[in-house]
Each structure stands twice: as C-alpha cells, then as structure tokens.
Amino acid sequence: MTDLAEYPALEIIDETGFPAGLSQTTEANGLRRANGSAPTVLLNGFPQETYKRCSSDYSSFLACLDHYPSLTGWLPATPPSSLWKPVPTNVLAVSWNHPDEAPQPGIRYRGWDLIAVPRVGAMKDALNPFIAWWAVLFALSMMARYEPSNWAGMISIDSSSDANAIENLLDQALGALPHLILEAIDVSAS
C-alpha cells in the first residue's frame, strides 16, 4: 500500500522552472526537447527520507517511481545521486529515452499545473485529485452534520490546533475545485 507521506503528489516542472507544458520552447505534449535529446522534466517534492531509501541503487529508485503510474517508462536523467538537490526543494530529473513520442508525465491540476499522483492501496491507476477532494470534503461534511459540537470545537481558531489546517484546506478547495469540476465536465462531454 502506498503511503502518501512517503510518496506525495509531485509537481512536474521543466528545467526553466515553469510547470511542464508552459515553457516557450516546447514540443508535443508540452515537453522540452533540447537539440534532439530526450525530453526531461523535473519532479519537485520528493521527501528527502524517501529519496535516501530509494537512491541506494538504480532498481530501488525505479521501484519508487513505480508508485507513480504516469511516470511509467520515465527514467532518471543520470544516476540519481548526482541529481539530488535537498535545498531549497527536493528536485529530481527524469527523461523519456524511448523512440516513440513521450507521454505526458502527469495529470493537469487546477488547469495549469502538471502533477504526478501516486496510486493508493491496491489501485492500478493514480488517485484522481477530484475524487481525493470529494472524499476529504465528504468526511468533513459528515463531521459537521452528525457531530456538530465536535466540528465546532475543531474549527474554533482560539482553542483548536486543527482549526488553522482546516481553514487552509477549505481555502485550497475553493481554488482547486472549480478547475477540477470544469475538467471533469469537459472530459465527460468529449
């Protein structure tokens, strides 16, 4: 079972720091290809502890990438140890070294960001962000409806250590969900 603390969603950026696909020098699927070389993207957000465990050898590193279905076929750009940059962010480069066109290495999130999402439990595919948000908000709504006194205590900013996290989560939902809902409608209409 995938532990989401060990294998969180990873931001995919190109080597200029733009979200992959938004750079001015892109090819098919928005992936950069410099001088005929393999398209390369950066994975931002690997926890340092996970990287240390996975970078002990090449096969361990590939096993870590296996938690991210959209990264199937992507390989470390060079041996992992030479790419690890723990400060200021945990960034790792992967390249598509196959003769066919590189697939998009992640899914669109909030309309523009590209992320690699891990599979959860025994799932074959990655967890869809829309479903993840639905589950979180459903659980919070059940707490608010069926345990109103506990809910009131949890969201009391003066007395609860959870209140700030819940407020931040709900603010994030307001920004993320309109894009995810529109994307879901667009996909179902096509």
Side-chain angles (χ1 to χ4, degrees):
M1 182 164 150
T2 298
D3 179 354
L4 295 179
E6 286 184 77
Y7 302 102
L10 302 172
E11 178 187 27
I12 300 173
I13 54 178
D14 71 15
E15 51 283 343
T16 66
F18 283 97
L22 296 183
S23 161
Q24 296 300 315
T25 56
T26 58
E27 286 189 358
N29 281 332
L31 301 176
R32 253 177 112 122
R33 190 182 286 262
N35 301 325
S37 64
T40 300
V41 295
L42 303 176
L43 305 175
N44 185 22
F46 253 113
Q48 192 166 5
E49 300 77 27
T50 300
Y51 178 82
K52 284 179 182 178
R53 187 184 70 256
C54 295
S55 65
S56 60
D57 61 62
Y58 193 73
S59 61
S60 295
F61 182 74
L62 292 177
C64 286
L65 284 183
D66 189 47
H67 289 273
Y68 298 89
S70 65
L71 296 175
T72 301
W74 289 82
L75 299 172
T78 60
S81 59
S82 67
L83 293 171
W84 187 239
K85 300 172 187 171
V87 177
T89 58
N90 300 334
V91 174
L92 182 68
V94 292
S95 293
W96 183 258
N97 295 312
H98 304 285
D100 50 332
E101 185 177 312
Q104 184 169 287
I107 59 173
R108 291 275 169 220
Y109 180 68
R110 299 181 75 162
W112 57 87
D113 293 331
L114 195 61
I115 59 172
V117 180
R119 67 176 52 92
V120 176
M123 293 173 58
K124 182 179 87 169
D125 296 322
L127 178 64
N128 184 306
F130 182 77
I131 300 300
W133 274 113
W134 178 84
V136 167
L137 294 176
F138 180 74
L140 291 176
S141 73
M142 292 296 101
M143 175 66 86
R145 180 172 184 182
Y146 296 112
E147 299 288 335
S149 59
N150 289 339
W151 176 251
M154 287 176 65
I155 61 171
S156 173
I157 200 76
D158 295 328
S159 61
S160 173
S161 60
D162 297 324
N164 191 26
I166 293 170
E167 182 179 350
N168 185 41
L169 177 76
L170 294 174
D171 284 344
Q172 291 291 320
L174 286 173
L177 284 169
H179 296 284
L180 292 172
I181 293 168
L182 180 61
E183 186 174 292
I185 292 169
D186 285 346
V187 167
S188 66
S190 57

